[in-house]
Amino acid sequence: MIADNNQVELSIEQIHKVTLDIVKRMSNICEKIGVNYYVAYGSLIGAVRHKGFIPWDDDFDVVMLRNDYEKFCDYCIHHQDEMKPYKLLTRKNEENYPYNIARLNNMDYRAVYENVQGYDSGVFIDIYPLDGAGSKAEQVIQRVKKKKSDLFRITLWSIDDHYTKSTYHKWYRSVAKYVVRSYAKIRGSKYFLDKMENFKNLYDIKKSRYIAEMTWDSGLTLYEKKWFEDYIYMDFENLKVKVPVGYDEFLKCHYGDYMKLPPVEERVPHHEYKVYRR
C-alpha cells in the first residue's frame, strides 16, 4: 500500500497515544467477556522497566491462552460493526491477512508496510495465542524447533511482496533463497500459514507442563504454564495492565538481564512500517 505524499507520518509519540486507546479497548472487551490477556515481550519490559512504553518501541504485544484467544477473536469478529473504528484482523475475517496472530487495529489510521503482501491495516496491537507444548522440554524442542524455524522462514517468503537477496555472503545462498521463494509463491501463503497453524494441535494444553507460541515466529521458547495461572496489575503509562504472575521468569528466559538498557545504537524501532491518518 502506497502512502499519499502529502500525508504526514505519525511520530512514535503519536503512535503510542493511539496504541494506548487500543489497549484500553482490548482490556474492556476482555473484562466484558471474561477472558484474560497478559502483556508480553518488549511491552512487558516496558511495563517493568519504564512503567510504560520503551521509548523507542513502536508496538504493543499481548498473549492469550488459546481458548481465551479464540473467544476474544470470535467476539470481535461478530461485533465488528459496533466496534468501529476498532477492527480485529485475523485470517478468518481478512482474506489477505498474512499472519497467524491477531491484530486489533484502529482503522482511523493506515499502516504502510515495506515488504508484506498488501492488506488494510491501522495502528495495531499484536495478540499472540499460546498453545500446549508438552511436558518434556528436550523432546519438544527436538521435535518442533528446527521444523518450525525452517517453515517460518519459507512462510515469510510466501507473504513478502518482492524478492530481496540473501544477507549471506555466499552466492549460492541467494540462489537457494530465490528457488525456495519461487516455490513458496507458487504454493501460496495460505498453504504455509496453514502448516504453521497446525503446530497448535501437537500437544493438549490441559496435559502440558509447558506452553509456547507455536503458530508464529521462528524458533521455540517454552514457558511454564504456571507462570500464566494468575496475573498481577502493573502501571503502563496512564493504564493498569495485566502481566503474568511469572513475569520475571518469562522475561529472563527471553532476554536474560532485561533491566539492562541496550546499546544506544540499538535503541530504534524494529518494525518496517509507517503510519498515517486516513
Side-chain angles (χ1 to χ4, degrees):
M1 185 181 294
I2 299 173
D4 185 332
N5 290 333
N6 293 322
Q7 288 185 305
V8 177
E9 181 183 352
L10 266 65
S11 68
I12 195 166
E13 293 79 14
Q14 290 171 315
I15 293 174
H16 286 172
K17 185 176 185 300
V18 178
T19 300
L20 284 174
D21 290 336
I22 303 173
V23 174
K24 186 175 181 180
R25 181 66 165 138
M26 180 271 302
S27 179
N28 288 342
I29 292 172
C30 288
E31 186 72 22
K32 179 178 181 178
I33 65 176
V35 305
N36 279 327
Y37 72 89
Y38 307 92
V39 177
Y41 309 124
S43 301
L44 181 53
I45 292 179
V48 177
R49 196 172 68 195
H50 303 271
K51 305 302 180 186
F53 290 103
I54 297 175
W56 54 90
D57 198 9
D58 56 359
D59 74 346
F60 192 93
D61 299 318
V62 303
V63 296
M64 296 180 183
L65 300 181
R66 174 60 70 174
N67 285 345
D68 282 350
Y69 174 86
E70 297 292 353
K71 186 175 179 180
F72 178 85
C73 290
D74 287 345
Y75 176 89
C76 291
I77 291 171
H78 290 119
H79 294 81
Q80 184 170 296
D81 288 342
E82 67 193 64
M83 286 179 55
K84 292 179 180 177
Y86 300 100
K87 180 180 181 181
L88 189 81
L89 295 181
T90 73
R91 292 177 60 218
K92 290 181 180 179
N93 68 329
E94 185 71 20
E95 183 177 0
N96 290 323
Y97 186 70
Y99 309 114
N100 281 345
I101 63 172
R103 284 181 166 174
L104 183 60
N105 296 251
N106 184 331
M107 301 302 289
D108 283 340
Y109 301 86
R110 185 162 59 105
V112 179
Y113 296 83
E114 290 186 12
N115 192 18
V116 178
Q117 67 185 34
Y119 73 101
D120 193 12
S121 170
V123 176
F124 61 87
I125 64 173
D126 286 327
I127 305 173
Y128 294 82
L130 296 179
D131 293 298
S135 299
K136 298 180 179 179
E138 289 185 6
Q139 289 183 12
V140 174
I141 290 173
Q142 187 175 27
R143 178 186 182 189
V144 178
K145 187 172 184 177
K146 187 178 187 305
K147 184 185 296 185
K148 181 172 180 278
S149 181
D150 291 344
L151 181 56
F152 182 68
R153 185 181 300 110
I154 300 173
T155 302
L156 291 183
W157 293 340
S158 78
I159 66 174
D160 68 19
D161 68 1
H162 63 266
Y163 172 76
T164 57
K165 287 186 178 180
S166 173
T167 55
Y168 293 102
H169 296 298
K170 302 294 185 180
W171 63 268
Y172 54 81
R173 296 278 190 173
S174 290
V175 172
K177 176 180 177 180
Y178 181 83
V179 171
V180 176
R181 180 183 177 275
S182 298
Y183 165 73
K185 290 300 184 184
I186 292 170
R187 291 305 306 251
S189 60
K190 183 180 183 302
Y191 173 81
F192 295 101
L193 288 164
D194 285 347
K195 288 181 75 68
M196 288 286 300
E197 188 78 17
N198 286 337
F199 284 115
K200 72 182 181 183
N201 300 317
L202 289 177
Y203 301 97
D204 185 341
I205 193 169
K206 293 180 180 179
K207 299 178 181 179
S208 293
R209 172 181 173 180
Y210 300 104
I211 55 178
E213 186 186 320
M214 297 289 281
T215 62
W216 194 242
D217 277 347
S218 62
L220 183 69
T221 303
L222 304 186
Y223 318 128
E224 294 272 3
K225 189 167 62 176
K226 65 183 180 181
W227 298 346
F228 295 84
E229 288 178 347
D230 204 353
Y231 60 85
I232 61 174
Y233 283 100
M234 281 191 178
D235 292 325
F236 195 97
E237 304 295 345
N238 60 349
L239 301 178
K240 295 281 189 182
V241 297
K242 290 181 178 180
V243 307
V245 67
Y247 72 88
D248 181 62
E249 294 89 343
F250 175 84
L251 287 176
K252 283 177 178 175
C253 80
H254 263 287
Y255 306 104
D257 183 6
Y258 60 87
M259 294 301 288
K260 182 179 179 180
L261 289 169
V264 173
E265 62 271 16
E266 295 180 14
R267 300 176 195 176
V268 294
H270 295 289
H271 296 84
E272 299 176 344
Y273 58 82
K274 297 180 179 179
V275 179
Y276 306 88
R277 178 173 279 279
R278 291 181 189 268

